[in-house]
Amino acid sequence: MKRETPPPSPRSSAGSVSRQPGRWQLDRIVAELRTSREETHSIRRDGEARRAPSRDALEAILDGLTEALFPRHYGQSDLDGENIDYFVGNTLSAALDSLSAQIHRGALFVGDELEPGFVHEEAIELTRAFATQLPPVRGLLINDLRAAFVGDPAARNFPEILIGYPGMTAIIHHRLAHLLYQIGARLVARLMSEIAHTRTGIDIHPGARIGSGFFIDHGTGVVIGETAIIGNNVRIYQAVTLGARHFPTDDEGHVIKGDARHPIVEDEVVIYAGATILGRITIGRGSTIGGNVWLTKDVPPNSIVTQATARNTPSGA
Amino acid sequence: MKRETPPPSPRSSAGSVSRQPGRWQLDRIVAELRTSREETHSIRRDGEARRAPSRDALEAILDGLTEALFPRHYGQSDLDGENIDYFVGNTLSAALDSLSAQIHRGALFVGDELEPGFVHEEAIELTRAFATQLPPVRGLLINDLRAAFVGDPAARNFPEILIGYPGMTAIIHHRLAHLLYQIGARLVARLMSEIAHTRTGIDIHPGARIGSGFFIDHGTGVVIGETAIIGNNVRIYQAVTLGARHFPTDDEGHVIKGDARHPIVEDEVVIYAGATILGRITIGRGSTIGGNVWLTKDVPPNSIVTQATARNTPSGA
Amino acid sequence: MKRETPPPSPRSSAGSVSRQPGRWQLDRIVAELRTSREETHSIRRDGEARRAPSRDALEAILDGLTEALFPRHYGQSDLDGENIDYFVGNTLSAALDSLSAQIHRGALFVGDELEPGFVHEEAIELTRAFATQLPPVRGLLINDLRAAFVGDPAARNFPEILIGYPGMTAIIHHRLAHLLYQIGARLVARLMSEIAHTRTGIDIHPGARIGSGFFIDHGTGVVIGETAIIGNNVRIYQAVTLGARHFPTDDEGHVIKGDARHPIVEDEVVIYAGATILGRITIGRGSTIGGNVWLTKDVPPNSIVTQATARNTPSGA
């Protein structure tokens, strides 16, 4: 480590050390960072200011929607029969206003989804379409809640699951993000899915189609890919991957985007911790996939797939 | 995407676009959500307002207790021999006040734990019993800290472990949650364990019994089930599962809650990354379980268990 | 549960129940905690007040540096060609001021890194050395961003990756923490890496050396050890471990700190989900390591390593 004292700044006697001019050579670093941005085209040639969607705003929207769906568990204290609808309406109103603004930002910022000239009025229309689907989404989530209670011997009551379980948080976020993905607000949907990932360790692409009564227990490390299709009453455990095996490329060697490449999991399947299931294969109805299995081929209905046995080498002593 | 402009609202000229009445058809959605709640019985028939425990409050309680236990590392700046006890007492007082309120909420909200008619005075008594155990809990945590220093070649000093290591955060949270679980505040204990899970990726049920000198390295994806029993000086790595294999059901096919169904890990055992250990089996004292092993049978003391060998297929070139 | 009411406090009639004196027997608990701290030497005998680095401050520093590097995606709204440099300079200035203070704290608090008598002026000098490297670090991160776009068929645009992908967040944090590790601010670097771990589920020790064009997809559960060396254009998936196998001990049986003990991964290697690679082995250039493999031996260039096959036992029906 160098030890010599830097030369005193001419103005250092006038101010505190922490305001010393030239301390960080900011001018040079800022200029170099500008050059770096220009080289990578991150400043638009037309100089138009655009705003990326805000992760903070999307977090607040997800929280507001969750409170509106489950006001007794996530909402403010002391809700009763008289005031609960006011809370729900007010919370929903703020969340939807903000959502329409974020959808607008997302469309302008990306520029390659929705049509050119997308305006705020269209974002409002998409948001309205989204809002009308909230009551049926709540119905689906109640089925997910019941599936968790039935599927986990440690679950003693519904509040514990609804407030506490990461699998419940993940499916609430996913069903909202999937709705947005379906109506075309893909950047906002994708960012919401990553908020869920951060909060729960569960990574579900908003494109994944998931049936009724879905339960993820524990959940850390679960990955479910964009084109996965999951039937009804499926239960999966931590660190399960439903991923892609090969990435198809076009004639010029570029990866083709959006191709169907993730598993189809039929009704009533259980997949235990750490199983890695790759490619557009089908796991037949009623099958059980054991822990840590690595699987890349179709499985007929009612199969039981397990990993090759571990060796036990007693060390004596 | 639909493109037609929605019909102008009669009152839209009077306010900004974002306040336009009827924009989200809130009346209809709020009514549908109410119907959905009524169908799922989430509004109590007697109209009594109850409050779910607050996750935010529980996070603040855990932070306050941690600051009181380790004031030089987690607490406010500039604590010295003179002021440190005042900081500890003040922090503890606020945390315990809030904890007793949350225990009260938890008991009322669930309604199926503790006895009927549970009142706030009883929550205070439980909290007092909890508080007296804090000094011995600190002693256990110091042993955990030492186990981390000894067990991790990358650990260079105690502050690094205490402030930085997720395994340390997880065991601090677990030892507090386990105390609450033991005195009967199970919903609060369970929610605290999920806060630890969110913060660290380590999922330990508050019912799990864990001996002295416990160290989890890295930790993401670790799952330790409700009835697991872990001896002294055990070390485990990321993505290890101590889980259940079968879920016993009663005569009517319902899952039996609370049955002993997770592993017993004896003293001085090391379990490497990704091992999945399922069922009420015993891992004998001094054993080593290798990475990615899937294990469902008893292991005698001093065993070394490893996975079947990987294949290496050189691709030529 | 005990049910008797505690004896009324003499002053309880004068205040609310929640302020009741003696409620938590704080005096006794605070004294016991003090004894516990004294036994474990956490109060310095000389009574000197020292301050641990603040995790909150380090989080704000990481956020500020990220905003300065990518102001259009992480920074405030409405940045355009005119105001963007002011935003960058201002954000950078605040982050570097705070960083130098935290480096100073870290050095004093640990006491076993950098030389004795380390003063704030030296922390400023280290911070200045750090700052000059920010533009080249941005260049590396742009290569990482491109690698993510090329490597993930689900990636549709750069903003999605830059704002949303945990692998991108992890590598941004790592390249900053690694710089600090190199200049000797190891405690601050290590704490930053754990902030990244909390935010992404990806655990990269700041000592790890990582080449250009690095992409981690999904990422939850990834662990990369202190002495790992990763070449250019390497892609890894969730739950991959690059860890240590044996911990070398000195003549007295103490673990040797800092020894080279993690894998070397050469250029153009892909490692799929859940692979556990342990020890100072070399994965040769261009190799592919399959999912869930457990690997502890060298692999020649262009190898394809896969796990032993799973068993499929059709259950009839």
Side-chain angles (χ1 to χ4, degrees), chain C residues 71-82:
Chain C
R72 306 284 300 222
H73 292 80
Y74 282 99
Q76 68 189 29
S77 296
D78 299 319
L79 293 176
D80 56 27
E82 187 175 0

mmCIF file with all atom_site columns, all heavy atoms in Angstrom, chain C residues 71-82:
data_model
loop_
_atom_site.group_PDB
_atom_site.id
_atom_site.type_symbol
_atom_site.label_atom_id
_atom_site.label_alt_id
_atom_site.label_comp_id
_atom_site.label_asym_id
_atom_site.label_entity_id
_atom_site.label_seq_id
_atom_site.pdbx_PDB_ins_code
_atom_site.Cartn_x
_atom_site.Cartn_y
_atom_site.Cartn_z
_atom_site.occupancy
_atom_site.B_iso_or_equiv
_atom_site.pdbx_formal_charge
_atom_site.auth_seq_id
_atom_site.auth_comp_id
_atom_site.auth_asym_id
_atom_site.auth_atom_id
_atom_site.pdbx_PDB_model_num
ATOM 1  N N   . PRO C 1 71 ? -26.567 4.891  -15.588 1.00 0.00 ? 71 PRO C N   1
ATOM 2  C CA  . PRO C 1 71 ? -27.516 5.909  -15.109 1.00 0.00 ? 71 PRO C CA  1
ATOM 3  C C   . PRO C 1 71 ? -28.874 5.857  -15.811 1.00 0.00 ? 71 PRO C C   1
ATOM 4  O O   . PRO C 1 71 ? -29.881 6.213  -15.212 1.00 0.00 ? 71 PRO C O   1
ATOM 5  C CB  . PRO C 1 71 ? -26.794 7.222  -15.408 1.00 0.00 ? 71 PRO C CB  1
ATOM 6  C CG  . PRO C 1 71 ? -25.803 6.891  -16.463 1.00 0.00 ? 71 PRO C CG  1
ATOM 7  C CD  . PRO C 1 71 ? -25.374 5.475  -16.206 1.00 0.00 ? 71 PRO C CD  1
ATOM 8  N N   . ARG C 1 72 ? -28.908 5.387  -17.053 1.00 0.00 ? 72 ARG C N   1
ATOM 9  C CA  . ARG C 1 72 ? -30.192 5.355  -17.763 1.00 0.00 ? 72 ARG C CA  1
ATOM 10 C C   . ARG C 1 72 ? -31.092 4.232  -17.257 1.00 0.00 ? 72 ARG C C   1
ATOM 11 O O   . ARG C 1 72 ? -32.295 4.265  -17.470 1.00 0.00 ? 72 ARG C O   1
ATOM 12 C CB  . ARG C 1 72 ? -29.965 5.142  -19.260 1.00 0.00 ? 72 ARG C CB  1
ATOM 13 C CG  . ARG C 1 72 ? -29.020 6.138  -19.906 1.00 0.00 ? 72 ARG C CG  1
ATOM 14 C CD  . ARG C 1 72 ? -29.680 7.454  -20.115 1.00 0.00 ? 72 ARG C CD  1
ATOM 15 N NE  . ARG C 1 72 ? -30.819 7.307  -20.974 1.00 0.00 ? 72 ARG C NE  1
ATOM 16 C CZ  . ARG C 1 72 ? -31.128 8.145  -21.943 1.00 0.00 ? 72 ARG C CZ  1
ATOM 17 N NH1 . ARG C 1 72 ? -30.354 9.196  -22.179 1.00 0.00 ? 72 ARG C NH1 1
ATOM 18 N NH2 . ARG C 1 72 ? -32.192 7.971  -22.660 1.00 0.00 ? 72 ARG C NH2 1
ATOM 19 N N   . HIS C 1 73 ? -30.514 3.225  -16.663 1.00 0.00 ? 73 HIS C N   1
ATOM 20 C CA  . HIS C 1 73 ? -31.318 2.081  -16.246 1.00 0.00 ? 73 HIS C CA  1
ATOM 21 C C   . HIS C 1 73 ? -31.553 2.054  -14.739 1.00 0.00 ? 73 HIS C C   1
ATOM 22 O O   . HIS C 1 73 ? -32.595 1.612  -14.282 1.00 0.00 ? 73 HIS C O   1
ATOM 23 C CB  . HIS C 1 73 ? -30.645 0.777  -16.679 1.00 0.00 ? 73 HIS C CB  1
ATOM 24 C CG  . HIS C 1 73 ? -30.651 0.597  -18.160 1.00 0.00 ? 73 HIS C CG  1
ATOM 25 N ND1 . HIS C 1 73 ? -29.748 1.223  -18.980 1.00 0.00 ? 73 HIS C ND1 1
ATOM 26 C CD2 . HIS C 1 73 ? -31.484 -0.085 -18.975 1.00 0.00 ? 73 HIS C CD2 1
ATOM 27 C CE1 . HIS C 1 73 ? -30.003 0.906  -20.241 1.00 0.00 ? 73 HIS C CE1 1
ATOM 28 N NE2 . HIS C 1 73 ? -31.052 0.115  -20.265 1.00 0.00 ? 73 HIS C NE2 1
ATOM 29 N N   . TYR C 1 74 ? -30.556 2.490  -13.992 1.00 0.00 ? 74 TYR C N   1
ATOM 30 C CA  . TYR C 1 74 ? -30.698 2.440  -12.542 1.00 0.00 ? 74 TYR C CA  1
ATOM 31 C C   . TYR C 1 74 ? -30.908 3.823  -11.932 1.00 0.00 ? 74 TYR C C   1
ATOM 32 O O   . TYR C 1 74 ? -31.346 3.940  -10.805 1.00 0.00 ? 74 TYR C O   1
ATOM 33 C CB  . TYR C 1 74 ? -29.453 1.809  -11.904 1.00 0.00 ? 74 TYR C CB  1
ATOM 34 C CG  . TYR C 1 74 ? -29.413 0.316  -12.001 1.00 0.00 ? 74 TYR C CG  1
ATOM 35 C CD1 . TYR C 1 74 ? -28.658 -0.323 -12.977 1.00 0.00 ? 74 TYR C CD1 1
ATOM 36 C CD2 . TYR C 1 74 ? -30.136 -0.469 -11.118 1.00 0.00 ? 74 TYR C CD2 1
ATOM 37 C CE1 . TYR C 1 74 ? -28.618 -1.713 -13.061 1.00 0.00 ? 74 TYR C CE1 1
ATOM 38 C CE2 . TYR C 1 74 ? -30.102 -1.846 -11.188 1.00 0.00 ? 74 TYR C CE2 1
ATOM 39 C CZ  . TYR C 1 74 ? -29.344 -2.458 -12.159 1.00 0.00 ? 74 TYR C CZ  1
ATOM 40 O OH  . TYR C 1 74 ? -29.309 -3.820 -12.231 1.00 0.00 ? 74 TYR C OH  1
ATOM 41 N N   . GLY C 1 75 ? -30.527 4.874  -12.640 1.00 0.00 ? 75 GLY C N   1
ATOM 42 C CA  . GLY C 1 75 ? -30.552 6.209  -12.063 1.00 0.00 ? 75 GLY C CA  1
ATOM 43 C C   . GLY C 1 75 ? -31.937 6.832  -12.060 1.00 0.00 ? 75 GLY C C   1
ATOM 44 O O   . GLY C 1 75 ? -32.926 6.190  -12.387 1.00 0.00 ? 75 GLY C O   1
ATOM 45 N N   . GLN C 1 76 ? -31.977 8.109  -11.702 1.00 0.00 ? 76 GLN C N   1
ATOM 46 C CA  . GLN C 1 76 ? -33.259 8.783  -11.617 1.00 0.00 ? 76 GLN C CA  1
ATOM 47 C C   . GLN C 1 76 ? -33.884 8.969  -13.002 1.00 0.00 ? 76 GLN C C   1
ATOM 48 O O   . GLN C 1 76 ? -33.234 8.814  -14.033 1.00 0.00 ? 76 GLN C O   1
ATOM 49 C CB  . GLN C 1 76 ? -33.085 10.142 -10.930 1.00 0.00 ? 76 GLN C CB  1
ATOM 50 C CG  . GLN C 1 76 ? -32.297 11.121 -11.782 1.00 0.00 ? 76 GLN C CG  1
ATOM 51 C CD  . GLN C 1 76 ? -31.950 12.384 -11.010 1.00 0.00 ? 76 GLN C CD  1
ATOM 52 O OE1 . GLN C 1 76 ? -31.802 12.347 -9.799  1.00 0.00 ? 76 GLN C OE1 1
ATOM 53 N NE2 . GLN C 1 76 ? -31.797 13.474 -11.721 1.00 0.00 ? 76 GLN C NE2 1
ATOM 54 N N   . SER C 1 77 ? -35.135 9.305  -13.022 1.00 0.00 ? 77 SER C N   1
ATOM 55 C CA  . SER C 1 77 ? -35.873 9.457  -14.274 1.00 0.00 ? 77 SER C CA  1
ATOM 56 C C   . SER C 1 77 ? -35.372 10.645 -15.086 1.00 0.00 ? 77 SER C C   1
ATOM 57 O O   . SER C 1 77 ? -34.704 11.538 -14.568 1.00 0.00 ? 77 SER C O   1
ATOM 58 C CB  . SER C 1 77 ? -37.353 9.702  -13.962 1.00 0.00 ? 77 SER C CB  1
ATOM 59 O OG  . SER C 1 77 ? -37.868 8.576  -13.323 1.00 0.00 ? 77 SER C OG  1
ATOM 60 N N   . ASP C 1 78 ? -35.688 10.617 -16.367 1.00 0.00 ? 78 ASP C N   1
ATOM 61 C CA  . ASP C 1 78 ? -35.549 11.800 -17.205 1.00 0.00 ? 78 ASP C CA  1
ATOM 62 C C   . ASP C 1 78 ? -34.117 12.273 -17.379 1.00 0.00 ? 78 ASP C C   1
ATOM 63 O O   . ASP C 1 78 ? -33.863 13.466 -17.524 1.00 0.00 ? 78 ASP C O   1
ATOM 64 C CB  . ASP C 1 78 ? -36.386 12.973 -16.636 1.00 0.00 ? 78 ASP C CB  1
ATOM 65 C CG  . ASP C 1 78 ? -37.844 12.598 -16.600 1.00 0.00 ? 78 ASP C CG  1
ATOM 66 O OD1 . ASP C 1 78 ? -38.314 11.968 -17.562 1.00 0.00 ? 78 ASP C OD1 1
ATOM 67 O OD2 . ASP C 1 78 ? -38.505 12.933 -15.622 1.00 0.00 ? 78 ASP C OD2 1
ATOM 68 N N   . LEU C 1 79 ? -33.169 11.357 -17.354 1.00 0.00 ? 79 LEU C N   1
ATOM 69 C CA  . LEU C 1 79 ? -31.799 11.746 -17.663 1.00 0.00 ? 79 LEU C CA  1
ATOM 70 C C   . LEU C 1 79 ? -31.666 11.891 -19.171 1.00 0.00 ? 79 LEU C C   1
ATOM 71 O O   . LEU C 1 79 ? -32.110 11.039 -19.930 1.00 0.00 ? 79 LEU C O   1
ATOM 72 C CB  . LEU C 1 79 ? -30.811 10.692 -17.153 1.00 0.00 ? 79 LEU C CB  1
ATOM 73 C CG  . LEU C 1 79 ? -30.747 10.571 -15.634 1.00 0.00 ? 79 LEU C CG  1
ATOM 74 C CD1 . LEU C 1 79 ? -29.822 9.439  -15.239 1.00 0.00 ? 79 LEU C CD1 1
ATOM 75 C CD2 . LEU C 1 79 ? -30.296 11.875 -15.009 1.00 0.00 ? 79 LEU C CD2 1
ATOM 76 N N   . ASP C 1 80 ? -31.056 12.992 -19.605 1.00 0.00 ? 80 ASP C N   1
ATOM 77 C CA  . ASP C 1 80 ? -30.837 13.178 -21.032 1.00 0.00 ? 80 ASP C CA  1
ATOM 78 C C   . ASP C 1 80 ? -29.395 13.627 -21.259 1.00 0.00 ? 80 ASP C C   1
ATOM 79 O O   . ASP C 1 80 ? -28.575 13.635 -20.346 1.00 0.00 ? 80 ASP C O   1
ATOM 80 C CB  . ASP C 1 80 ? -31.829 14.189 -21.619 1.00 0.00 ? 80 ASP C CB  1
ATOM 81 C CG  . ASP C 1 80 ? -31.747 15.519 -20.893 1.00 0.00 ? 80 ASP C CG  1
ATOM 82 O OD1 . ASP C 1 80 ? -30.671 15.848 -20.347 1.00 0.00 ? 80 ASP C OD1 1
ATOM 83 O OD2 . ASP C 1 80 ? -32.774 16.217 -20.853 1.00 0.00 ? 80 ASP C OD2 1
ATOM 84 N N   . GLY C 1 81 ? -29.071 13.944 -22.496 1.00 0.00 ? 81 GLY C N   1
ATOM 85 C CA  . GLY C 1 81 ? -27.691 14.291 -22.826 1.00 0.00 ? 81 GLY C CA  1
ATOM 86 C C   . GLY C 1 81 ? -27.164 15.455 -22.001 1.00 0.00 ? 81 GLY C C   1
ATOM 87 O O   . GLY C 1 81 ? -25.971 15.536 -21.714 1.00 0.00 ? 81 GLY C O   1
ATOM 88 N N   . GLU C 1 82 ? -28.074 16.337 -21.584 1.00 0.00 ? 82 GLU C N   1
ATOM 89 C CA  . GLU C 1 82 ? -27.605 17.524 -20.879 1.00 0.00 ? 82 GLU C CA  1
ATOM 90 C C   . GLU C 1 82 ? -27.300 17.273 -19.399 1.00 0.00 ? 82 GLU C C   1
ATOM 91 O O   . GLU C 1 82 ? -26.281 17.715 -18.882 1.00 0.00 ? 82 GLU C O   1
ATOM 92 C CB  . GLU C 1 82 ? -28.657 18.634 -20.989 1.00 0.00 ? 82 GLU C CB  1
ATOM 93 C CG  . GLU C 1 82 ? -28.147 19.952 -20.429 1.00 0.00 ? 82 GLU C CG  1
ATOM 94 C CD  . GLU C 1 82 ? -29.138 21.092 -20.637 1.00 0.00 ? 82 GLU C CD  1
ATOM 95 O OE1 . GLU C 1 82 ? -30.219 20.844 -21.215 1.00 0.00 ? 82 GLU C OE1 1
ATOM 96 O OE2 . GLU C 1 82 ? -28.816 22.220 -20.223 1.00 0.00 ? 82 GLU C OE2 1
#
